[in-house]
């Protein structure tokens, strides 16, 4: 399958730059989890920070790995086949709402930003794997209407006479 022009080096480079900045912010926020807990710090908050930090950093590593594979393809270091067979973006593990409620608003916003980036790149990965042959929503709707009219005509005409 030939590589379509809808996934280009500039798109990948822009996403890679965005992901690097976001990964640095994630590292800065969740590196605090390695410190000693304060005397009055709630253990459940610390657990939520640790759990959501692990999910968030894993999400970012998956995004960066996917982007690095794409960059390697555009640099000629990987073939189209290698990227297709071994470069799929793993599914996301969204944050737990109960644990999010325990975290500071800025931390929740950062986690949401990583989830949004994962969603964008996951949609791009799916579209790329389908050759960007997503079909027009209007044509899909028209096709469904046509199928329904065909079914109605068949019901109205009754069983076929042989």
């Amino acid at each position: 399958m030939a590589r379509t022009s809808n996934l280009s080096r500039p798109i990948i480079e822009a996403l890679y730059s965005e992901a690097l900045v976001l990964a640095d912010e994630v590292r800065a926020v969740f590196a605090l989890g390695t410190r000693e807990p304060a005397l009055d710090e709630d253990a459940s908050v610390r657990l939520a920070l640790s759990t959501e930090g692990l999910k968030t950093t894993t999400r970012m590593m998956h995004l960066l790995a996917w982007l690095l594979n794409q960059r390697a393809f555009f640099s000629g270091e990987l073939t189209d086949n290698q990227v297709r067979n071994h470069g799929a973006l793993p599914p996301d593990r969204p944050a737990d709402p109960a644990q999010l409620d325990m975290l500071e608003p800025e931390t929740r916003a950062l986690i949401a930003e990583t989830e949004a980036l994962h969603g964008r790149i996951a949609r791009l990965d799916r579209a790329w794997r389908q050759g960007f042959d997503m079909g027009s929503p209007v044509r899909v709707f028209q096709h469904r209407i046509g199928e329904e009219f065909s079914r109605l005509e068949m019901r109205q005409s009754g069983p076929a006479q042989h």
Side-chain angles (χ1 to χ4, degrees):
M1 175 182 264
R3 178 74 122 167
T4 177
S5 63
N6 289 343
L7 190 58
S8 64
R9 184 184 296 258
I11 290 170
I12 296 302
E13 292 302 324
L15 288 169
Y16 183 68
S17 295
E18 182 180 347
L20 282 178
V21 169
L22 195 54
D24 193 45
E25 292 174 21
V26 166
R27 183 207 50 79
V29 167
F30 291 108
L32 296 175
T34 60
R35 63 169 170 63
E36 287 298 316
L39 292 175
D40 62 341
E41 188 172 37
D42 185 359
S44 59
V45 172
R46 189 163 166 77
L47 179 62
L49 186 63
S50 179
T51 303
E52 294 307 321
L54 181 59
K55 283 186 208 174
T56 304
T57 54
T58 300
R59 179 179 307 115
M60 288 308 303
M61 292 306 105
H62 287 161
L63 292 174
L64 287 168
W66 187 87
L67 290 163
L68 285 169
N69 279 336
Q70 296 296 325
R71 291 178 85 211
F73 171 77
F74 283 113
S75 296
E77 298 168 22
L78 291 177
T79 66
D80 186 78
N81 223 18
Q82 289 171 316
V83 174
R84 287 190 185 278
N85 291 333
H86 306 291
L89 180 65
D92 194 15
R93 290 192 57 212
D96 179 351
Q99 290 189 351
L100 278 178
D101 287 343
M102 292 185 242
L103 302 177
E104 295 176 349
E106 297 82 12
T107 303
R108 290 194 304 261
L110 180 62
I111 292 169
E113 197 174 342
T114 67
E115 288 176 331
L117 182 60
H118 189 282
R120 287 173 37 215
I121 292 177
R123 285 188 299 277
L124 185 61
D125 185 46
R126 279 191 304 275
W128 176 73
R129 289 178 184 288
Q130 295 171 1
F132 291 95
D133 186 22
M134 305 294 279
S136 160
V138 172
R139 288 181 197 234
V140 170
F141 186 66
Q142 288 171 337
H143 178 72
R144 288 176 55 197
I145 289 173
E147 287 178 339
E148 287 302 315
F149 277 126
S150 294
R151 284 190 201 113
L152 283 173
E153 287 175 359
M154 292 180 76
R155 282 188 211 147
Q156 290 174 351
S157 65
Q161 305 292 327
H162 290 284

